[in-house]
């Protein structure tokens, strides 16, 4: 029995079936863009723990900052006895998120918690209750965020009843909406909101600038600016959920910058702290300060060790210009993926930005389906992921139809490792296509 098999036996006996793992190999350590399992096999990591370890595994600054902080103190609770790290992370968030207006931030533990708090803040600040979200959206798995998330299985199935006052609008999804322009897709969504919700009841429009779990859906240009302008015109807040897209992943500090959209509130997590659990809500100072004292918080939110990791992570991103690194990764990955798409008819689309890229797999030769556009091919997607894993490349799937293979390498990956990963990916795709 291998060490992983033995761990898997223990895990099956001890861990709830509801928490599953993509791999049955258990990890021992990581370095840069690779992780090594307990049996000594090295994996090239094209997943970054779902877009988290952007600065790489075992990033030296993060290690040093965490070690130093752990020896000083691990917890006082910021609501009880405050400390500098929390303030420093808020200062960085206020500076780096889009817009030069006065901003303030609050810190939490997870992405879902940040989104929940953004909704609380928006409702409180506007005195309205309706939240507009989109098809294919993913915002988390807590009760409120399940209501905001679109996909039933596995996220919501039999976990209801869900929180109310959430309205879902159609997304701009060029492959599956007949190629509507951003303006036309926004008009379609906002017309529905005006008819079914009423603009004056909307507290916030909440959207991922590029959808993550929903399939790396990149809205048509103009969609996000139109939603943001509508929100401003109607006294609602525009909330960008940048939990997956933020912190250099798409080639800018935040994905909204690509279309010069300045959100009222931004949620962040994942890449912010090099793998430690930390999340934030950042926004207009007047909105963030609308909340009464003690209205926001939690025991662990902005934990000092996580804040030390975030300060080191952000310093690393600045020092290594990781937004530029993400653009470089796009310049290597995108042409190669497009070449593969030209060769293999099961690739329906290549899309994404920076180091957040994906291929959507379809049934070749058919152009229409109930999903709009070509029929999704989840079986080939699963097979492709399995082939990659068997060859030591860690990739993730996503998408409402389970037919999107996404690439999220650490932004510090070197060209040689990147090419090795891409070669494995190309071979796996060829074997699945044939
Ligand atoms: C866009 C987005 N929002 C929210 C979340 C939830 O974050 P967490 O898993 O840290 O609760 C995720 C996680 O994948 C996400 O991608």
């Amino acid at each position: 029995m291998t060490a992983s098999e033995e761990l898997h036996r223990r895990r099956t006996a001890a861990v709830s079936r509801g928490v599953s793992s993509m791999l049955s190999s258990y990890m021992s350590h990581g370095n840069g863009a690779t992780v090594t399992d307990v049996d000594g096999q090295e994996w090239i990591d094209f997943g970054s723990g779902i877009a988290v370890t952007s600065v790489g595994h075992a990033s030296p600054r993060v290690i040093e900052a965490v070690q130093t902080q752990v020896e000083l103190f691990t917890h006082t609770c910021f609501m009880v006895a405050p400390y500098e790290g929390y303030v420093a992370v808020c200062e960085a968030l206020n500076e780096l998120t889009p817009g030069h207006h006065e901003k303030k931030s609050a810190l939490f533990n997870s992405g879902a918690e940040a989104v929940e708090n953004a909704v609380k803040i928006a409702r409180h600040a506007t005195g309205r209750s309706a939240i507009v979200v989109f098809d294919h959206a993913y915002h988390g798995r807590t009760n409120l965020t399940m209501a905001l998330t679109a996909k039933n299985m596995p996220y919501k199935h039999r976990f209801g009843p869900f929180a109310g006052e959430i309205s879902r609008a159609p997304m701009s999804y060029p492959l599956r909406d007949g190629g509507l322009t951003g303006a036309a897709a926004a008009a379609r969504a906002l017309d529905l909101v005006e008819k079914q919700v009423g603009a004056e009841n909307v507290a916030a429009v909440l959207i991922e600038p590029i959808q993550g779990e929903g399939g790396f859906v990149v809205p048509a240009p103009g969609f996000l600016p139109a939603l943001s302008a509508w929100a401003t015109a109607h006294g609602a807040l525009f909330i960008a959920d940048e939990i997956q897209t933020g912190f250099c992943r798409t080639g800018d500090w935040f994905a909204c910058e690509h279309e010069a959209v300045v959100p009222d509130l931004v949620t962040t997590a994942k890449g912010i702290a090099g793998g430690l659990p930390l999340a934030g809500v950042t926004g207009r100072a007047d909105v963030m300060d609308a909340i009464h004292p003690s209205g926001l918080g939690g025991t662990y939110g902005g934990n000092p060790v996580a804040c030390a990791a975030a300060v080191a992570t952000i310093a690393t991103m600045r020092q290594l210009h990781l937004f530029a690194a993400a653009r470089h990764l796009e310049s290597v990955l995108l042409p190669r993926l497009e070449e593969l798409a030209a060769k293999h008819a099961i690739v329906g689309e290549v899309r994404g930005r920076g180091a957040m890229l994906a291929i959507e797999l379809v049934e070749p030769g058919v152009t229409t389906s109930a999903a709009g556009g070509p029929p999704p091919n989840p079986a080939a997607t699963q097979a492709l992921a399995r082939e990659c894993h068997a060859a030591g490349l860690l990739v993730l799937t996503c998408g409402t139809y389970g037919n999107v293979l996404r690439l999220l390498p650490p932004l510090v990956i070197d060209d040689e490792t990147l090419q090795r990963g891409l070669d494995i990916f190309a071979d796996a795709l060829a074997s699945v296509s044939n």
Side-chain angles (χ1 to χ4, degrees):
M1 196 182 263
T2 65
S4 274
E5 283 166 352
E6 169 56 13
L7 278 172
H8 201 64
R9 189 193 60 73
R10 281 173 49 200
R11 175 247 178 82
T12 305
V15 179
S16 163
R17 194 174 72 119
V19 183
S20 54
S21 303
M22 191 179 71
L23 301 184
S24 53
S25 298
Y26 287 69
M27 296 303 137
S28 151
H29 56 278
N31 181 24
T34 60
V35 280
T36 303
D37 69 26
V38 288
D39 293 300
Q41 187 195 336
E42 189 181 87
W43 299 72
I44 297 174
D45 188 359
F46 273 14
S48 299
I50 322 186
V52 170
T53 49
S54 296
V55 292
H57 297 283
S59 177
R61 268 183 196 259
V62 176
I63 292 175
E64 194 191 331
V66 166
Q67 282 175 342
T68 303
Q69 183 58 47
V70 162
E71 284 176 17
L72 290 172
F73 62 99
T74 53
H75 179 80
T76 57
C77 184
F78 192 75
M79 298 185 306
V80 176
Y83 40 87
E84 185 191 353
Y86 191 115
V87 179
V89 173
C90 291
E91 286 169 346
L93 282 167
N94 299 342
E95 179 199 335
L96 294 169
T97 50
H100 299 296
H101 52 289
E102 196 194 342
K103 289 176 230 156
K104 293 205 174 172
S105 294
L107 302 181
F108 304 97
N109 299 294
S110 66
E113 206 189 338
V115 174
E116 290 238 12
N117 277 279
V119 169
K120 280 166 62 171
I121 293 164
R123 285 177 168 162
H124 187 110
T126 60
R128 303 172 179 185
S129 53
I131 305 294
V132 175
V133 290
F134 291 84
D135 287 336
H136 314 290
Y138 183 88
H139 297 292
R141 295 173 182 253
T142 56
N143 187 264
L144 174 57
T145 57
M146 276 192 295
L148 302 168
T149 288
K151 192 174 175 179
N152 174 50
M153 201 63 174
Y155 309 125
K156 301 167 73 166
H157 184 61
R158 297 180 63 174
F159 292 140
F162 304 113
E165 292 293 307
I166 312 295
S167 298
R168 196 166 303 285
M171 179 63 185
S172 166
Y173 190 161
L175 181 69
R176 303 202 171 279
D177 66 10
L180 286 179
T181 64
R188 176 179 68 165
L190 294 169
D191 182 59
L192 189 138
V193 171
E194 289 180 0
K195 299 289 185 314
Q196 296 187 4
V197 186
E200 67 279 17
N201 299 317
V202 175
V205 175
L206 166 64
I207 190 164
E208 302 150 85
I210 297 176
Q211 289 182 323
E213 308 306 298
F216 279 29
V217 179
V218 184
F223 185 68
L224 297 173
L227 298 180
S228 165
W230 181 91
T232 303
H234 292 90
L237 301 181
F238 181 79
I239 308 176
D241 181 347
E242 293 251 18
I243 285 166
Q244 191 151 163
T245 50
F247 283 100
C248 302
R249 179 53 56 187
T250 66
D252 290 296
W253 278 96
F254 292 93
C256 278
E257 290 172 54
H258 186 75
E259 288 199 87
V261 169
V262 178
D264 299 295
L265 296 175
V266 181
T267 56
T268 52
K270 290 193 182 282
I272 189 175
L276 275 85
L278 187 70
V281 180
T282 301
R284 279 169 36 198
D286 60 319
V287 172
M288 295 298 290
D289 279 347
I291 312 299
H292 48 278
S294 300
L296 303 175
T299 304
Y300 293 114
N303 168 272
V305 183
C307 285
V311 169
T313 296
I314 293 166
T316 302
M317 287 178 168
R318 289 187 204 265
Q319 188 194 18
L320 301 182
H321 304 291
L322 288 190
F323 54 87
R327 290 179 186 205
H328 168 70
L329 292 175
E330 178 182 328
S331 77
V332 176
L333 285 165
L334 201 55
R336 189 79 189 271
L337 293 177
E338 276 162 358
E339 194 185 296
L340 293 173
K343 228 194 267 180
H344 302 294
I346 61 167
V347 180
E349 189 171 60
V350 176
R351 59 173 179 260
R353 194 179 303 140
M356 183 174 180
L357 298 171
I359 57 172
E360 176 157 358
L361 298 189
V362 300
E363 302 285 349
V366 189
T367 52
T368 56
S369 70
N377 194 339
T381 312
Q382 286 307 320
L384 174 56
R386 269 198 310 274
E387 287 287 325
C388 289
H389 299 162
L393 177 67
L394 221 161
V395 291
L396 313 173
T397 60
C398 62
T400 294
Y401 312 105
N403 68 325
V404 178
L405 201 302
R406 54 176 157 169
L407 305 182
L408 290 160
L411 303 179
V412 296
I413 191 169
D414 61 77
D415 282 347
E416 189 269 329
T417 310
L418 185 67
Q419 288 299 345
R420 269 198 294 137
L422 266 172
D423 290 345
I424 293 173
F425 188 73
D427 289 348
L429 185 59
S431 79
V432 166
S433 293
N434 294 328

